[in-house]
């Protein structure tokens, strides 16, 4: 090694002694060898690898150093494997740890190889990755190695060097940065077992499972062929117009072009579908080691409600119980319930739920039951004794079921009591009026039920924290519906618990898999990928849907095909529930940028010449001590000792909170220890206030990367500060709803929120565990389903006319092009309703007028029509093949695409235009989410509810049916020659009727309840129209020119 290179090597590691002790594969500490010296796996480049990773690489990997690709040599105590050089071992003796320090005599090849990248995106350790040359010069052995080089350069003897190293190790041990490596002989066997477990725990927590090439390659080939066929098809359609029906031809061509563009937007984001697998056992071994503190990250769970009379409290209670019983450390779970209706019914329901949780939670954890929502657990029609071996299970289950039934009766009594509000308003148990009697004008309210002193279950174990939150509401303020409620919960949770990750659920979505949070932690706590993730999205699964899924409530095609395709690009879109967020991503921060490799430079040339040649000067790494001390002083300066008033059991503010509990000037005091560069990175006081609002406690929480609260926190002050951050005027003149939190401006705030994160460069993950993570309820009634789809479509239209439209927002940013196509598809799909309505009307018009949109074609032109239909069928078949979605689900999705397109989507477009142009806002009622009657499980499916959304589909069905009757009557009247052109028209008419068939069944109700009046009127109208058609025949071609009559004279 050259002197200058050696000097720069030592200079770099002199300032990074701690980082040099970190394994570059598993990010764990590189422990010392048997002789007390730092373990060095590679003798050539000294790439830092711990002993377990070294052993795993030798036994299961490619047996080479990840950086320089030099074959690993066997160290003392390592098992012999095939390929070891036995001759070298016999001649030179076994490789001893002393040889690890003799790197100075070997050729340094580290400067011609790139840095090792482990688990870059898919989380797999690719041991066969080829390393390209001309990378950054990189070496990262331990600081002991750097001291050895320094001692030898100074000419020190072995004794002096040893004494020097011992002093350094003593200092490191005193600081807690180094663990003593000396072990007794009695501990050797235990050490080997621990190293084996450590090696398994350091494996990737998840892996990417790409779709087999035998399935995905034909799928991609057919997509390309279909695109080529579309080009030739439109060439024919445009160059051969139907001159006798030119308006119909022109409309049909425009519609077909729009359909083709919509297909492209929907198809190409599915180009890279992938699957993912998680390893929960490795997660436990890595972060839940015996005898050590649990290192799993805390999680705050958000549950949002609006009206408990429309969202049954028993459903909300089951969701909360499933959260409290989740398989996760209880001290790291906090549940926040947002009551946006300020209902005393929900307040009392949570009180009853917290009491029942003291019995339900230990029962779930003792017998490991699934799901942990009692309503759905006791209603499952399965063998509940399967895999149960405890003799007390049956007795405890019967007792628990009886207690749950008593719990339901108490909740039902609360609901019955809440049906009629007293004239003087609701009164609490202590006799004080309920602060939320006026739902539009009330103070902010916070109540902590569990998680405080004395909140234990019947076995004496701690329970997760349960917090009731109702934000302040005053007339004249825009509260932004669900998005505003979610932002309020973000701030409250940051003040009270400040967990680094947040899970949001709708009140009707319970946790079906108790290990769901652990599934998400396999991604979010990944040392490489986790820092770049904004959220982990789970698919939505539903209970209480009819077996045939008439109205595509399960939405299988979207969740099992489209979302998996997006997961292979930049990540799935946020769908509003069942999503675990990374808190910094919601604060508007950008993901951390990977460090760029330094350009190579030669130390033997002058620095100015190196700069001219493109080499950068080497900057010494800055110490984080100053920054950490500054944050510590900042947090300590924010805390003020105030007397605690704990007399009241409920904390709320009767008047609008305008004063912060902490002084904002303390922020500047905390920043005094920083230099100018650090101050600019932490922003000034005014920037903090403008961005996050007037709450120093909340601002301080945003600076804590790993979450948590400052030490010696005053609980009373935190409750008061939490009341302050949910005041209705807190968000004024801040970035909340614009750049921070859930984004305002649309009723579908989920799409906007996820879109903003992806534009900043964040990635998201789609997690599909074998057991569904969450399950919810969906409206199975036709009218309720259409109103739900109307709300989603209206939100997309609002985004289309906003500044956040993906068509023009953030071009040149960090959003990938295929991801942008997916977002464009989510906001333009409602506009497909206009060409779809026109295209469904054309067959009836053609049958009634005798015209057709396609002229007579020859055999060559018919090839393009046949090829187009075959490509559509082939695409569907191959898509079903790799996604494993059933053909029934695909067909139901196609049917409801037409039903929703000509009804809800059409109304959404016009209502969106009215809102944007004239400011006419549309209010929506919450769809019913209650369980149906047990005697008639799917009674709502057959319940007819009239709404204006039913008019367009009903009109289309009548028109096409009348057109079919008219076309057949005309063919019978005109003879055999008219049947040929009729088949093409009938095909399109039947295509419309078949797609609208589920809608027709929804109008008809049950087979044994078919309205007689509907049948009579249908027969009567069809008969009358047929007779009129045969008698009048109004669509015959009329003669042109003078009318010639016989004069009566025999000429």
């Amino acid at each position: 090694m050259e002197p200058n290179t050696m000097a720069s090597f030592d200079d770099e590691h002199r300032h990074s002694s701690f980082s040099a002790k970190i394994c570059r594969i598993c990010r764990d500490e590189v422990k010392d060898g048997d002789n007390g010296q730092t373990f060095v796996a590679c003798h050539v480049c000294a790439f830092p690898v711990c002993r377990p990773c070294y052993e795993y690489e030798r036994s299961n990997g490619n047996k080479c150093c990840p950086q320089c690709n030099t074959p690993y040599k066997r160290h003392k105590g390592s098992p012999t494997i095939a390929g070891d050089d036995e001759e070298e071992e016999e001649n030179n003796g076994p490789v001893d740890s002393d040889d690890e320090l003799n790197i100075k005599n070997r050729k340094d090849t580290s400067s011609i190889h790139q840095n090792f990248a482990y688990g870059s995106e898919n989380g797999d350790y690719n041991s066969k990755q080829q390393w390209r040359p001309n990378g950054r010069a990189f070496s990262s052995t331990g600081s002991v190695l750097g001291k050895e080089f320094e001692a030898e350069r100074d000419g020190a003897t072995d004794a002096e060097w040893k004494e020097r190293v011992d002093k350094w190790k003593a200092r490191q041990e005193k600081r807690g940065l180094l663990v003593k490596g000396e072990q007794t002989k009695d501990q050797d066997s235990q050490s080997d077992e621990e190293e084996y477990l450590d090696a398994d725990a350091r494996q990737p927590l998840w892996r990417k499972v790409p779709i087999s090439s035998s399935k995905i390659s034909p799928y991609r080939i057919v997509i390309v062929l279909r695109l080529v066929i579309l080009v030739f098809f439109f060439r024919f359609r445009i160059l051969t117009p139907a001159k006798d029906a030119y308006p119909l031809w022109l409309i049909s061509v425009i519609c077909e072009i729009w359909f083709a563009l919509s297909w492209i937007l929907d198809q190409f984001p599915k180009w890279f579908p992938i699957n993912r697998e998680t390893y929960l056992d490795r997660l436990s071994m890595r972060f839940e080691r015996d005898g050590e503190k649990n290192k799993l990250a805390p999680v705050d769970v958000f549950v949002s409600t609006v009206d408990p009379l429309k969202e049954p409290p028993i459903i909300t209670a089951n969701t909360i119980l499933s959260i409290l019983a989740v398989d996760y450390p209880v001290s790291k779970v906090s549940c926040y319930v947002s009551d946006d209706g300020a209902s005393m019914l929900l307040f009392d329901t949570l009180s009853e739920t917290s009491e029942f949780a003291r019995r339900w939670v230990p029962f779930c954890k003792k017998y490991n039951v699934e799901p942990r929502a009692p309503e759905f657990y006791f209603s499952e029609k399965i063998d509940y004794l399967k895999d149960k071996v405890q003799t007390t299970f049956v007795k405890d289950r019967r007792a628990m079921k009886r207690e749950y039934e008593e719990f339901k009766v108490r909740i039902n009594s609360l609901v019955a009591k809440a049906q009629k509000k007293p004239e003087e308003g609701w009164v609490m148990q202590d006799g004080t009026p309920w602060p939320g009697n006026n739902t539009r004008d009330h103070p902010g309210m916070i109540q902590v039920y569990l998680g405080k002193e004395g909140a234990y279950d019947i076995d004496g174990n701690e329970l997760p924290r349960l917090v009731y939150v109702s934000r302040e509401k005053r007339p004249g303020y825009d509260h932004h519906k669900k998005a505003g409620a979610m932002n309020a919960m973000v701030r409250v949770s940051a003040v009270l618990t400040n967990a680094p990750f947040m899970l949001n659920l709708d009140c009707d979505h319970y946790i079906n898999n108790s290990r769901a949070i652990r599934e998400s932690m396999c991604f979010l706590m990944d040392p490489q990928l986790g820092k770049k993730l904004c959220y982990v999205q789970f698919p939505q699964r539903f209970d209480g849907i009819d077996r045939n899924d008439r109205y595509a409530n399960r939405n299988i095609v979207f969740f099992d095909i489209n979302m998996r395709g997006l997961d292979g690009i930049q990540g799935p879109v946020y769908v509003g529930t069942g999503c675990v967020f990374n808190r910094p991503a919601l604060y508007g921060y950008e993901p951390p940028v990977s460090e760029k490799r330094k350009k190579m430079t030669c130390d033997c040339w002058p620095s100015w010449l190196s700069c001219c040649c493109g080499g950068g000067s080497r900057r010494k790494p800055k110490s984080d001590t100053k920054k950490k001390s500054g944050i510590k002083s900042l947090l300590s300066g924010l805390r003020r000792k105030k007397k605690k008033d704990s007399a009241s059991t409920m904390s709320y503010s009767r008047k609008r909170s305008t004063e912060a509990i902490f002084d904002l000037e303390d922020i500047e005091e905390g920043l005094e220890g920083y230099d100018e560069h650090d101050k600019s990175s932490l922003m000034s006081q005014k920037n903090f206030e403008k961005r996050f609002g007037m709450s120093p406690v909340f601002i301080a929480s945003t600076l804590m990367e790993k979450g948590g609260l400052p030490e010696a926190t005053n609980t009373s002050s935190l409750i008061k500060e939490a009341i302050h951050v949910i005041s209705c005027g807190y968000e004024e003149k801040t970035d909340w709803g614009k750049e921070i939190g859930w984004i305002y401006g649309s009723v579908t705030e989920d799409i906007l929120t996820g879109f903003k994160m992806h534009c900043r460069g964040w990635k998201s993950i789609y997690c599909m565990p074998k057991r569904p993570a969450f399950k919810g309820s969906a409206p199975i009634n036709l009218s309720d389903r259409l109103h739900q789809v109307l709300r989603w479509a209206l939100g997309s239209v609002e985004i289309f006319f906003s500044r956040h439209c993906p068509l023009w927002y953030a071009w040149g940013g960090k959003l990938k092009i295929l991801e942008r196509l997916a977002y464009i598809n989510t906001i333009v799909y409602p506009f497909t309703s206009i060409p779809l309505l026109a295209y469904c009307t054309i067959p009836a018009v053609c049958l009634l007028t005798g015209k057709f949109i396609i002229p007579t074609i020859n055999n060559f032109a018919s090839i393009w029509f046949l090829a187009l239909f075959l490509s559509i069928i082939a695409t569907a078949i191959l898509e079903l093949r790799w996604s494993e979605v059933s053909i029934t689900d695909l067909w139901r999705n196609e049917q409801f695409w037409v039903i929703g397109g000509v009804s809800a989507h059409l109304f959404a477009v016009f209502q969106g235009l009215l809102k944007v142009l004239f400011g006419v806002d549309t209010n929506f009622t919450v769809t019913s989410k209650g369980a149906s009657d047990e005697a008639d499980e799917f009674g709502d499916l057959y319940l007819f509810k009239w709404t204006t959304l039913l008019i367009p589909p009903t009109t289309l069905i009548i028109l096409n049916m009348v057109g079919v009757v008219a076309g057949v009557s005309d063919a019978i009247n005109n003879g055999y020659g008219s049947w040929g052109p009729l088949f093409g028209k009938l095909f399109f008419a039947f295509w419309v009727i078949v797609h609208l068939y589920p809608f027709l069944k929804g109008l008809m109700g049950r087979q044994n309840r078919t309205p007689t009046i509907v049948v009579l009127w249908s027969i009567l109208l069809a008969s009358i129209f047929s007779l009129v058609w045969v008698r009048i025949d109004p669509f015959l071609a009329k003669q042109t020119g003078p009318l010639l009559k016989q004069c009566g004279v025999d000429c």
Side-chain angles (χ1 to χ4, degrees):
M1 184 179 294
E2 295 297 330
N4 289 333
T5 306
M6 179 69 72
S8 61
F9 175 88
D10 180 67
D11 183 70
E12 178 180 355
H13 289 279
R14 187 178 301 173
H15 300 279
S16 58
S17 61
F18 178 73
S19 62
K21 300 283 293 181
I22 301 302
C23 175
R24 292 306 176 96
I25 294 181
C26 65
R27 297 293 176 182
D28 210 342
E29 184 178 357
V30 179
K31 298 182 179 179
D32 296 341
D34 295 337
N35 58 355
Q37 306 300 334
T38 304
F39 175 77
V40 180
C42 180
H43 298 277
V44 177
C45 65
F47 185 74
V49 176
C50 62
R51 186 66 176 258
C53 292
Y54 160 79
E55 299 289 358
Y56 180 83
E57 180 65 21
R58 272 177 47 86
S59 59
N60 300 326
N62 63 353
K63 306 175 182 60
C64 295
C65 173
Q67 176 167 272
C68 64
N69 264 355
T70 302
Y72 276 140
K73 291 189 177 182
R74 189 175 72 87
H75 289 264
K76 184 177 181 180
S78 300
T80 304
I81 62 173
D84 284 342
D85 191 358
E86 298 180 358
E87 296 182 359
E88 181 180 353
E89 185 175 353
E90 292 176 359
N91 297 333
N92 302 331
V95 180
D96 194 87
S97 298
D98 294 338
D99 296 335
E100 299 172 3
L101 301 179
N102 295 330
I103 302 177
K104 63 186 183 62
N105 296 325
R106 303 182 182 272
K107 183 178 180 180
D108 183 11
T109 58
S110 62
S111 60
I112 61 172
H113 294 282
Q114 280 190 340
N115 187 11
F116 173 59
Y118 178 76
S120 56
E121 192 206 346
N122 60 358
D124 293 332
Y125 168 46
N126 189 356
S127 59
K128 297 183 179 181
Q129 183 175 357
Q130 299 296 326
W131 304 100
R132 298 186 298 272
N134 300 328
R136 169 196 169 192
F138 186 88
S139 297
S140 183
T141 56
S143 297
V144 177
L145 181 61
K147 290 290 184 180
E148 185 230 3
F149 286 138
E150 182 180 357
E152 290 186 356
R153 283 197 303 272
D154 293 342
T157 62
D158 292 342
E160 294 174 348
W161 170 77
K162 187 175 181 179
E163 181 182 0
R164 210 171 192 178
V165 171
D166 291 340
K167 291 181 179 179
W168 176 85
K169 289 176 62 178
R171 291 195 303 268
Q172 295 296 92
E173 289 174 2
K174 187 175 181 180
R175 296 174 184 173
L177 302 179
L178 189 66
V179 180
K180 293 183 179 181
E182 292 78 4
Q183 295 180 346
T184 61
K185 295 182 179 179
D186 298 336
Q187 297 173 329
D188 288 344
S189 58
Q190 182 179 358
S191 176
D192 294 339
E193 183 178 357
E194 290 178 356
E195 288 184 358
Y196 176 77
L197 294 176
D198 289 345
D200 197 11
R202 288 165 182 163
Q203 298 309 307
L205 301 177
W206 64 279
R207 73 184 184 100
K208 183 191 295 182
V209 184
I211 306 296
S212 174
S213 59
S214 61
K215 296 180 179 180
I216 197 64
S217 296
Y219 175 68
R220 293 170 177 169
I221 293 173
V222 170
I223 292 175
V224 175
L225 290 177
R226 183 174 172 181
L227 192 62
V228 174
I229 292 172
L230 277 174
V231 174
F232 286 97
F233 172 77
F234 283 119
R235 179 179 179 274
F236 166 78
R237 292 283 284 129
I238 294 174
L239 295 180
T240 56
K243 297 182 179 179
D244 58 339
Y246 192 84
L248 294 177
W249 167 83
L250 182 62
I251 294 174
S252 66
V253 170
I254 295 175
C255 294
E256 290 165 359
I257 292 176
W258 181 268
F259 294 152
L261 294 176
S262 300
W263 172 76
I264 292 175
L265 293 176
D266 179 71
Q267 189 68 63
F268 280 92
K270 298 183 286 189
W271 190 264
F272 302 103
I274 61 172
N275 298 317
R276 298 182 190 268
E277 289 183 357
T278 56
Y279 302 99
L280 299 181
D281 53 343
R282 296 177 182 176
L283 180 75
S284 297
M285 285 188 290
R286 182 178 296 188
F287 298 106
E288 295 180 298
R289 299 183 180 182
D290 295 336
E292 298 183 7
K293 185 179 179 181
N294 194 301
K295 297 181 181 178
L296 287 175
V299 179
D300 291 336
V301 186
F302 300 156
V303 179
S304 57
T305 63
V306 179
D307 188 350
L309 294 178
K310 297 179 180 179
E311 299 167 327
I314 191 63
I315 301 297
T316 305
N318 273 269
T319 300
I320 296 171
L321 289 171
S322 68
I323 296 172
L324 298 179
V326 71
D327 183 9
Y328 207 74
V330 293
S331 62
K332 298 179 181 292
V333 177
S334 300
C335 179
Y336 293 84
V337 182
S338 172
D339 181 13
D340 225 27
S343 171
M344 189 174 174
L345 171 59
L346 181 61
F347 183 83
D348 292 337
T349 299
L350 291 186
S351 179
E352 293 286 349
T353 303
S354 62
E355 289 298 323
F356 179 72
R358 300 175 190 271
R359 297 172 175 83
W360 173 251
V361 172
F363 170 77
C364 294
K365 295 187 176 181
K366 179 179 180 181
Y367 298 108
N368 195 26
V369 300
E370 294 284 359
R372 298 188 177 181
E375 179 71 25
F376 302 95
Y377 170 69
F378 291 121
S379 62
E380 277 190 330
K381 299 177 181 179
I382 60 173
D383 183 13
Y384 63 84
L385 297 178
K386 185 178 181 181
D387 300 330
K388 296 296 184 293
V389 295
Q390 296 96 327
T391 56
T392 59
F393 172 68
V394 176
K395 180 180 179 181
D396 290 348
R397 186 181 187 275
R398 290 174 180 171
M400 184 55 61
K401 185 175 183 180
R402 182 176 64 253
E403 291 191 15
Y404 175 65
E405 291 173 349
E406 295 175 356
F407 168 73
K408 288 182 65 176
V409 172
R410 292 195 297 270
I411 298 299
N412 292 338
S413 65
L414 292 176
V415 175
K417 180 181 178 182
Q419 296 295 329
K420 186 177 181 180
K421 184 178 180 180
E423 295 181 359
E424 65 276 7
W426 301 110
V427 180
M428 301 176 64
Q429 293 182 357
D430 58 356
T432 59
W434 171 249
N437 279 323
N438 187 346
T439 58
R440 297 183 180 181
D441 187 3
H442 65 84
M445 296 176 282
I446 295 177
Q447 172 66 43
V448 180
Y449 290 95
L450 299 176
K452 55 185 178 181
E453 185 178 357
Y456 299 98
D457 60 23
I458 58 176
D459 294 338
N461 299 318
E462 184 182 358
L463 288 171
R465 184 187 297 256
L466 177 60
V467 182
Y468 169 87
V469 179
S470 180
R471 56 182 175 145
E472 181 187 18
K473 286 191 175 181
R474 301 297 181 190
Y477 286 91
D478 188 356
H479 300 99
H480 303 288
K481 300 180 180 178
K482 181 182 176 181
M486 296 302 297
N487 286 336
M489 278 197 290
V490 170
R491 295 192 295 270
V492 169
S493 64
V495 172
L496 297 182
T497 52
N498 195 32
F501 303 113
M502 300 171 291
L503 165 64
N504 92 284
L505 295 173
D506 287 343
C507 64
D508 61 327
H509 274 70
Y510 65 92
I511 298 181
N512 182 65
N513 184 349
S514 61
R515 301 169 71 86
I517 297 180
R518 293 178 179 270
E519 295 276 355
S520 63
M521 290 301 112
C522 288
F523 301 102
L524 293 170
M525 297 189 70
D526 183 271
Q528 295 291 334
L529 180 64
K531 299 178 181 178
K532 302 177 182 178
L533 294 182
C534 54
Y535 58 81
V536 175
Q537 177 67 60
F538 291 87
Q540 292 186 19
R541 304 300 187 210
F542 302 97
D543 287 321
I545 298 177
D546 60 300
R547 182 169 56 88
N548 295 322
D549 193 13
R550 179 186 294 178
Y551 305 123
N553 284 279
R554 292 190 178 92
N555 216 351
I556 295 294
V557 173
F558 174 76
F559 287 112
D560 287 13
I561 298 180
N562 295 70
M563 295 287 272
R564 289 163 69 186
L566 292 176
D567 196 20
I569 306 173
Q570 197 173 345
V573 298
Y574 169 44
V575 296
T577 183
C579 186
V580 183
F581 284 94
N582 190 357
R583 191 179 284 268
L586 277 174
Y587 288 163
Y589 294 124
E590 294 185 355
V593 181
S594 301
E595 295 182 1
K596 296 182 179 179
R597 296 182 176 88
K598 297 180 180 180
K599 298 181 179 179
M600 294 183 62
T601 182
C602 181
D603 292 337
C604 59
W605 294 97
S607 58
W608 61 270
L609 185 57
S610 299
C611 295
C612 295
C613 296
S617 60
R618 299 195 177 206
R619 299 180 61 182
K620 298 181 180 180
K622 295 183 177 180
S623 175
D624 293 338
T625 306
K626 196 172 187 179
K627 183 176 180 180
K628 291 181 179 179
S629 63
I631 294 179
K632 186 176 181 180
S633 62
L634 170 61
L635 298 179
S636 61
L638 294 177
R639 297 190 294 268
R640 287 186 173 183
K641 295 182 180 180
K642 291 194 176 183
K643 295 182 180 180
K644 181 178 180 182
D645 182 12
S646 58
S648 176
T649 58
M650 178 178 178
S651 300
Y652 62 91
S653 174
R654 292 189 175 273
K655 60 182 181 179
R656 177 184 164 191
S657 300
T658 57
E659 296 182 358
I661 304 303
F662 296 89
D663 191 359
L664 285 171
E665 296 179 357
D666 293 336
I667 295 181
E668 290 296 326
E669 298 176 3
L671 294 175
E672 290 178 356
Y674 288 80
D675 56 20
E676 294 299 327
H677 180 269
D678 293 332
K679 283 186 178 181
S680 62
S681 65
L682 290 177
M683 297 187 296
S684 64
Q685 175 182 346
K686 292 183 179 180
N687 288 336
F688 269 123
E689 296 173 11
K690 182 178 180 181
R691 187 172 180 84
F692 296 113
M694 303 283 288
S695 174
V697 176
F698 178 78
I699 292 173
S701 69
T702 64
L703 300 178
M704 306 183 70
E705 182 179 358
K706 296 183 179 180
L709 299 176
E711 298 178 0
T713 302
N714 190 334
T715 307
S716 176
S717 298
L718 289 183
I719 292 292
K720 294 179 181 179
E721 190 70 11
I723 292 290
H724 168 64
V725 298
I726 61 174
S727 59
C728 56
Y730 181 83
E731 295 182 354
E732 290 184 350
K733 299 180 181 180
T734 65
D735 287 344
W736 284 101
K738 303 173 185 176
E739 301 294 334
I740 300 175
W742 271 256
I743 306 302
Y744 304 150
S746 172
V747 294
T748 54
E749 68 287 333
D750 46 2
I751 298 294
L752 266 181
T753 304
F755 175 64
K756 293 279 285 187
M757 294 181 186
H758 283 138
C759 288
R760 297 189 187 104
W762 291 94
K763 296 180 180 179
S764 57
I765 291 292
Y766 195 52
C767 182
M768 296 180 63
K770 293 182 179 180
R771 179 179 180 85
F774 310 99
K775 280 190 175 182
S777 60
I780 60 175
N781 180 264
L782 176 60
S783 299
D784 291 340
R785 172 68 167 149
L786 290 178
H787 275 93
Q788 183 188 56
V789 175
L790 172 64
R791 179 183 179 276
W792 296 343
L794 179 60
S796 297
V797 175
E798 291 174 344
I799 298 175
F800 180 84
F801 290 107
S802 69
R803 71 182 186 91
H804 292 117
C805 179
L807 286 170
W808 50 73
Y809 182 80
W811 278 99
K814 300 177 181 179
L815 186 67
K816 295 184 179 180
I817 183 63
L818 291 181
E819 191 81 9
R820 183 178 293 275
L821 289 181
Y823 274 108
I824 291 175
N825 187 45
T826 60
I827 57 102
V828 301
Y829 78 89
F831 296 94
T832 306
S833 59
I834 298 176
L836 182 62
L837 180 65
Y839 209 72
C840 291
T841 309
I842 287 177
V845 176
C846 291
L847 287 169
L848 293 174
T849 60
K851 310 295 182 180
F852 198 44
I853 57 177
I854 302 175
T856 305
I857 58 177
N858 52 30
N859 293 334
F860 179 77
S862 62
I863 294 178
W864 300 119
F865 286 87
L866 181 62
L868 180 61
F869 283 111
L870 291 177
S871 65
I872 294 174
I873 296 173
T875 303
I877 293 175
L878 293 175
E879 194 168 78
L880 297 178
R881 184 167 174 256
W882 68 257
S883 65
E884 299 180 355
V885 173
S886 66
I887 190 172
T888 303
D889 291 325
L890 182 66
W891 174 238
R892 293 300 185 197
N893 183 78
E894 289 294 323
Q895 287 180 313
F896 195 77
W897 175 73
V898 176
I899 295 173
V902 298
S903 57
H905 298 173
L906 184 67
F907 276 75
V909 172
F910 288 106
Q911 290 181 1
L913 290 173
L914 289 175
K915 184 176 182 179
V916 173
L917 298 179
F918 304 103
V920 178
D921 199 358
T922 305
N923 295 323
F924 295 96
T925 57
V926 181
T927 54
S928 177
K929 298 178 181 179
S932 57
D933 188 5
E934 293 182 0
D936 191 5
E937 184 178 2
F938 304 116
D940 286 346
L941 180 66
Y942 309 102
L943 183 63
F944 180 78
K945 298 178 182 180
W946 178 257
T947 175
T948 53
L949 297 179
L950 303 178
I951 295 177
T954 306
T955 305
L956 284 177
I957 291 177
I958 295 176
L959 277 177
N960 281 275
M961 285 185 172
V962 169
V964 170
V965 174
V968 174
S969 301
D970 183 65
I972 295 175
N973 187 37
N974 292 334
Y976 177 79
S978 60
W979 283 97
L982 180 64
F983 282 119
K985 306 172 187 177
L986 290 178
F987 174 80
F988 285 106
F990 278 118
W991 180 89
V992 176
I993 295 174
V994 168
H995 277 77
L996 294 176
Y997 177 70
F999 175 84
L1000 183 61
K1001 289 189 68 176
L1003 292 179
M1004 301 288 286
R1006 291 184 185 272
Q1007 293 181 358
N1008 57 355
R1009 297 183 185 176
T1010 302
T1012 306
I1013 189 66
V1014 175
V1015 178
L1016 293 178
W1017 274 104
S1018 300
I1019 296 175
L1020 181 62
L1021 289 175
S1023 302
I1024 292 175
F1025 188 83
S1026 299
L1027 293 174
V1028 172
W1029 176 270
V1030 173
R1031 179 67 183 85
I1032 301 177
D1033 205 359
F1035 296 104
L1036 287 177
K1038 297 181 180 180
Q1039 292 181 345
T1040 59
L1043 181 63
L1044 301 177
K1045 295 183 178 180
Q1046 189 173 0
C1047 61
V1049 180
D1050 188 4
C1051 299

